[in-house]
Amino acid sequence: MNISKFSQLTGLSPHTLRYYEKLGLLTHISRSVSGHRSYSVADAEWVRFISRLKVTGMPLKQILEYAQLREAGASTFQQRRLLLEKHRQALQARIDNDREHLQALDEKIAYYETNKLLT
């Protein structure tokens, strides 16, 4: 599929896709005889994973590290797993922190609900 369709499918702009390719996050993108990029289903799955890592707060530098390990093959399996586990721990800590903030807001809202007759 061409870059326009791939952009629509992934939600990333063509500029971002080209940038990811330049960084080395997207490798082995097929090209037509005329030089136009042609993306595959596997490319879409990889971009979705990259996007998920970004949304969950993994810095681009770490995503690139993961991508380089992935490109190196099966011998980096443990390193990739450890990198993802470390990210998972950081994400879990953020979620726990956000839950505490949510609870504090809920308590304050409940306070106003129970005391609304006083105003």
Side-chain angles (χ1 to χ4, degrees):
M1 99 188 58
N2 67 28
I3 196 165
S4 178
K5 288 180 182 177
F6 193 72
S7 173
Q8 289 174 348
L9 176 70
T10 62
L12 297 177
S13 70
H15 174 76
T16 299
L17 293 169
R18 288 185 201 101
Y19 177 66
Y20 282 3
E21 190 174 347
K22 184 178 178 180
L23 282 179
L25 286 175
L26 290 173
T27 58
H28 310 295
I29 303 301
S30 299
R31 296 226 179 213
S32 68
V33 176
S34 60
H36 294 104
R37 291 169 178 85
S38 179
Y39 296 92
S40 69
V41 172
D43 295 327
E45 290 172 11
W46 173 236
V47 167
R48 276 193 281 278
F49 187 66
I50 291 170
S51 295
R52 185 172 305 275
L53 292 176
K54 278 189 59 80
V55 166
T56 59
M58 183 180 273
L60 202 51
K61 183 178 177 180
Q62 279 185 304
I63 296 171
L64 185 55
E65 179 184 352
Y66 181 88
Q68 290 166 342
L69 291 169
R70 178 179 176 256
E71 185 70 22
S75 66
T76 65
F77 184 86
Q78 282 297 98
Q79 290 169 282
R80 286 182 276 160
R81 184 181 61 81
L82 290 172
L83 190 93
L84 292 177
E85 285 177 356
K86 181 179 177 185
H87 179 62
R88 185 192 185 288
Q89 290 170 353
L91 178 59
Q92 186 63 59
R94 278 201 344 264
I95 290 169
D96 293 344
N97 192 35
D98 284 349
R99 278 195 184 117
E100 287 179 31
H101 295 312
L102 181 60
Q103 182 178 351
L105 286 171
D106 287 343
E107 289 169 4
K108 186 57 82 174
I109 291 167
Y111 169 80
Y112 286 116
E113 285 296 316
T114 59
N115 293 295
K116 66 182 173 187
L117 298 175
L118 300 177
T119 59

